[in-house]
């Protein structure tokens, strides 16, 4: 199996060597502005212990889950106006700035085997360009099938076998149906503050669940999405999502 | 040209570290697989291609408005109720690449055979049977107030009543 898998890479690299490099497109204003703190470095520090130094890209090649840039990945709970954050409006402009801050493994009550202490946030929270609900689309990160639509949840099972969960989309705006096949980049619904009867802040909670197998034993876990999203966002800014 | 080059790269990325789990097939219970009152078509037709044991709570087997989404390597079945949806899914696909194999080995060792908990307002059960990983979830319209989502009682009960209704090697 593995030897077969090498073939596409050989094809790819050999084809690459034949192509003359094109001059790089100059950086856009948004690319110049974009900065991000390291994976696992949670801000503020009291918000929890991330997976420091884990720079592995768990879902390589995915599309960024929000259709358009800019988007701001940072804590909802510990950000300005959040439950444990500084007093102020959730729409404070400081919440809508770079750098990005990882918030996978941020303090939560529920079990998460990959977080130190065994508990934490199973995904990351992402703010849209502006503090307006029902304006920005969440999109499919990979070709796949919609396996579930709940009150505030949309689940996409990608061809890779990974399951991507999108929380807090505006229910009436959801454009897909259970069982529908979607392509990478297809619109799913509008980012909102929907959490059933309880409202949350305007953001997309995005997580990646996959089965990992080591030495014949397997389990299903939420893997760190931050590095995959930094990579995807850079491609989005480059105009090559 | 560039577009053409992306195809083998994507193929490589998507398949390089994924695989299909081996299953230790259980002894089938004839009563569960072929009950005296046949299961509704939505269930039997929906899971006919599934190549892993298909579990659902026994009391849900005749719910006609269940939604089945499946192919040979996974299934997801949702049961809509007033104010809440129960979902069960099983999946044979796995990824082998992780950042640190030693760490992940230790994590795998420490994970209990079944866990019940509420996360993001959703009550969940995670378990492994016959080498396959399954999830059961209850999502409530009122996640902070509905006992089905705040208390583990219902999910534990559903877990204790799982029966294998299909799937084949
Ligand atoms: Zn979140």
């Amino acid at each position: 199996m593995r030897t077969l898998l090498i073939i596409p890479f050989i094809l790819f690299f050999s084809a690459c060597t034949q192509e003359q490099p094109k001059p790089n497109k100059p950086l856009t204003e948004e690319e110049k502005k974009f900065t991000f703190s390291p994976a696992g470095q949670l801000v503020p520090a009291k918000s929890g212990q991330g997976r420091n130094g884990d720079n592995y890209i768990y879902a390589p090649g995915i599309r960024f889950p929000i259709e358009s840039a800019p988007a701001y990945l940072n804590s909802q709970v510990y950000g300005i106006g959040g439950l444990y954050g500084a007093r102020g409006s959730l729409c404070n402009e400081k919440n809508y700035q770079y750098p990005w801050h990882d918030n996978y493994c941020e303090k939560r009550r529920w079990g998460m085997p990959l977080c130190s202490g065994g508990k934490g946030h199973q995904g990351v929270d992402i703010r849209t360009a502006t503090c307006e609900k029902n304006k920005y689309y969440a999109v499919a990160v990979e070709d796949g099938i919609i396996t579930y639509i709940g009150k505030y949840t949309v689940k996409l099972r990608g061809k890779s076998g990974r399951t991507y969960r999108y929380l807090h989309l505006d229910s009436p705006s959801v454009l897909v149906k259970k069982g529908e096949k979607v392509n990478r980049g297809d619109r799913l619904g509008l980012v909102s503050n929907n959490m059933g009867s309880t409202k949350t802040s305007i953001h997309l909670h995005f997580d990646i669940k996959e089965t990992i197998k080591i030495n014949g034993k397997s389990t299903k876990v939420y893997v760190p999405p931050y590095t995959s999203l930094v990579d995807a966002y850079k491609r989005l800014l480059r105009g090559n999502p | 040209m560039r577009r053409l080059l992306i195809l083998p790269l994507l193929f490589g990325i998507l398949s390089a570290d994924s695989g299909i789990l081996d299953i230790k097939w259980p002894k089938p219970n004839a009563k569960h697989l072929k009950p005296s009152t046949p299961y509704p078509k939505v269930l039997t037709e929906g899971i006919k291609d599934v190549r892993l044991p298909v579990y659902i709570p026994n009391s849900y087997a005749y719910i006609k408005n269940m939604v089945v989404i499946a192919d040979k390597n996974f299934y997801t079945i949702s049961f809509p109720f007033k104010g809440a949806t129960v979902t069960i899914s099983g999946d044979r696909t796995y990824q082998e690449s992780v950042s640190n194999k030693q760490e992940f080995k230790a994590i795998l060792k420490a994970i209990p055979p079944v866990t019940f908990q509420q996360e993001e307002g959703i009550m969940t059960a995670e378990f492994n049977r016959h080498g396959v990983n399954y999830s059961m979830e209850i999502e409530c319209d009122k996640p902070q107030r509905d006992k089905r989502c705040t208390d583990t009682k219902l999910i534990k009960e559903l877990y204790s009543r799982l029966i294998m209704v299909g799937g084949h090697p």
Side-chain angles (χ1 to χ4, degrees):
Chain A
M1 177 68 176
R2 276 192 188 273
T3 42
L4 274 175
L5 297 176
I6 293 166
I7 296 167
F9 281 104
I10 295 170
L11 280 169
F12 173 70
F13 288 113
S14 62
C16 274
T17 53
Q18 289 158 17
E19 197 182 8
Q20 293 303 313
K22 287 196 182 123
N24 277 341
K25 209 168 68 173
L27 292 181
T28 62
E29 284 311 304
E30 202 59 38
E31 281 179 294
K32 284 180 198 163
K33 275 195 267 176
F34 176 52
T35 53
F36 56 95
S37 63
Q41 191 181 293
L42 271 48
V43 173
K46 68 169 182 181
S47 68
Q49 172 77 55
R51 287 180 59 82
N52 278 315
D54 186 354
N55 292 314
Y56 188 80
I57 295 180
Y58 287 83
I62 58 167
R63 195 216 184 272
F64 191 66
I66 294 174
E67 189 172 46
S68 55
Y72 304 98
L73 195 157
N74 55 42
S75 173
Q76 302 297 304
V77 181
Y78 291 85
I80 296 167
L83 186 61
Y84 302 120
R87 282 172 103 181
S89 164
L90 282 165
C91 293
N92 189 295
E93 62 181 23
K94 286 186 179 162
N95 286 336
Y96 290 82
Q97 283 176 359
Y98 300 125
W100 279 12
H101 297 300
D102 193 0
N103 50 82
Y104 173 83
C105 285
E106 187 174 76
K107 282 181 191 165
R108 293 292 189 276
R109 291 185 312 273
W110 51 80
M112 265 283 291
L114 267 64
C115 300
S116 70
K119 286 182 176 186
H121 192 204
Q122 69 285 60
V124 289
D125 295 332
I126 313 171
R127 294 178 207 260
T128 49
T130 59
C131 190
E132 292 165 275
K133 64 178 181 179
N134 307 345
K135 186 171 179 185
Y136 303 96
Y137 276 100
V139 294
V141 294
E142 192 190 318
D143 291 356
I145 187 163
I146 302 297
T147 55
Y148 178 75
I149 297 173
K151 195 78 182 165
Y152 56 98
T153 303
V154 173
K155 272 191 203 173
L156 161 66
R157 184 185 186 274
K159 277 187 172 168
S160 63
R162 297 187 175 92
T163 299
Y164 306 97
R165 194 165 61 148
Y166 301 73
L167 302 188
H168 316 310
L169 301 186
D170 172 54
S171 293
S173 79
V174 171
L175 295 168
V176 287
K177 292 189 179 74
K178 282 180 198 170
E180 188 172 331
K181 285 191 175 139
V182 293
N183 294 315
R184 194 176 186 273
D186 283 355
R187 287 177 166 182
L188 304 179
L190 292 164
V191 178
S192 195
N193 61 343
N194 171 24
M195 196 176 171
S197 59
T198 325
K199 292 288 164 246
T200 180
S201 53
I202 301 164
H203 74 283
L204 173 69
H205 167 103
F206 177 76
D207 56 44
I208 306 171
K209 203 176 199 182
E210 66 182 42
T211 297
I212 51 165
K213 183 188 166 195
I214 294 169
N215 289 1
K217 225 187 152 193
S218 72
T219 191
K220 223 174 184 182
V221 285
Y222 290 104
V223 293
Y226 188 72
T227 47
S228 307
L229 292 174
V230 169
D231 185 54
Y233 192 66
K234 284 180 179 170
R235 278 182 275 112
L236 177 68
L237 294 181
R238 213 54 310 240
N240 182 30
Chain B
M1 181 66 181
R2 259 179 201 284
R3 269 165 201 254
L4 277 175
L5 296 179
I6 288 168
L7 288 173
L9 177 66
L10 276 180
F11 175 76
I13 283 170
L14 293 180
S15 53
D17 66 340
S18 64
I20 304 298
L21 294 167
D22 294 325
I23 296 174
K24 297 166 207 89
W25 279 89
K27 268 194 190 154
N29 178 325
K31 251 197 227 166
H32 292 163
L33 283 179
K34 286 200 168 51
S36 49
T37 309
Y39 295 132
K41 261 196 168 166
V42 60
L43 178 63
T44 50
E45 282 296 306
I47 62 172
K48 67 179 190 317
D49 297 325
V50 178
R51 304 193 69 175
L52 61 145
V54 176
Y55 281 96
I56 62 170
N58 60 358
S59 51
Y60 290 4
Y62 295 95
I63 293 177
K64 288 208 171 82
N65 64 344
M66 68 174 86
V67 179
V68 182
I69 294 151
D71 76 7
K72 62 181 195 299
N73 293 322
F74 84 97
Y75 75 89
T76 295
I77 306 178
S78 307
F79 304 93
F81 296 99
K82 198 168 181 259
T85 304
V86 177
T87 309
I88 182 157
S89 47
D91 203 318
R92 277 187 85 177
T93 320
Y94 72 88
Q95 316 287 327
E96 208 161 12
S97 286
V98 288
S99 54
N100 176 339
K101 278 213 170 188
Q102 286 311 316
E103 183 204 356
F104 277 78
K105 249 195 244 174
I107 288 167
L108 274 176
K109 242 186 180 175
I111 289 176
V114 55
T115 57
F116 303 101
Q117 64 172 351
Q118 192 216 46
E119 47 102 346
E120 300 284 356
I122 296 163
M123 188 55 76
T124 66
E126 297 279 350
F127 54 98
N128 184 305
R129 280 189 184 176
H130 327 298
V132 183
N133 297 95
Y134 295 88
S135 310
M136 187 158 50
E137 296 181 349
I138 308 172
E139 183 176 342
C140 296
D141 294 359
K142 294 176 181 163
Q144 317 300 348
R145 273 176 282 161
D146 193 320
K147 277 200 168 159
R148 293 172 290 186
C149 285
T150 56
D151 196 303
T152 55
K153 194 178 159 212
L154 173 62
I155 200 137
K156 284 182 174 165
E157 195 182 313
L158 294 176
Y159 175 78
S160 73
R161 293 211 245 120
L162 291 175
I163 54 166
M164 187 181 151
V165 294
H168 56 87

